Amino acid sequence: MSREILMQKEILKHLKEKINDPSLNFYEIFIPEPGLVEKGKSDSIFPFILIRPGKSKRQGYFKRREFELLVAVKSDNDSEGITKIFNLSEQISKILDETPTKNNAYTLDPTTIVEDFDAEDCGENVWGTRIKFQSDIPK
């Protein structure tokens, strides 16, 4: 298995342990098709954190890989939705900043953590944001 895939799994596992919210779903790269979501729960993919790799470039002994977390919540109340998404985003950034290295499973550069709230990630009653960061992966 590639180091990037292992890192994704470890990062999500660490976030799941630290956030400890049973209603929060964690996905890698893609959100499952609606038919694959638990029957009878049309909104069961929300709230979620999805991780996917971005660009990579070689830097000496290491390969620097960008990662992106997509975070989304669902709320019919605008004020509640925006509060939920910003609180969750802030909590995730804090966890990543406080534990940039985890059991030699991953090492990320805390100075590269960027929260990016974009109106295009929101619609109707869905609120979303992106958290981007970079990690050094030994060759």
Side-chain angles (χ1 to χ4, degrees), residues 11-61:
I11 290 167
L12 286 182
K13 180 181 169 187
H14 182 63
L15 290 173
K16 194 173 190 175
E17 289 169 359
K18 289 289 187 179
I19 296 172
N20 195 23
D21 179 353
S23 70
L24 193 57
N25 296 297
F26 296 84
Y27 302 113
E28 294 176 53
I29 303 177
F30 301 105
I31 296 171
E33 291 289 325
L36 300 176
V37 175
E38 193 175 327
K39 291 190 188 286
K41 294 186 177 182
S42 61
D43 298 332
S44 64
I45 65 166
F46 292 99
F48 70 80
I49 298 173
L50 177 138
I51 188 169
R52 62 181 171 201
K55 297 177 186 176
S56 71
K57 63 180 178 180
R58 300 262 181 224
Q59 289 188 324
Y61 179 73

Side-chain angles (χ1 to χ4, degrees), residues 84-116:
K84 279 183 183 179
I85 196 65
F86 279 121
N87 286 342
L88 184 55
S89 179
E90 193 173 301
Q91 184 180 10
I92 293 166
S93 292
K94 184 177 178 186
I95 291 167
L96 293 174
D97 188 46
E98 290 175 348
T99 51
T101 304
K102 179 74 172 153
N103 298 336
N104 294 324
Y106 68 84
T107 301
L108 61 93
D109 182 353
T111 64
T112 64
I113 298 171
V114 176
E115 292 178 47
D116 183 17

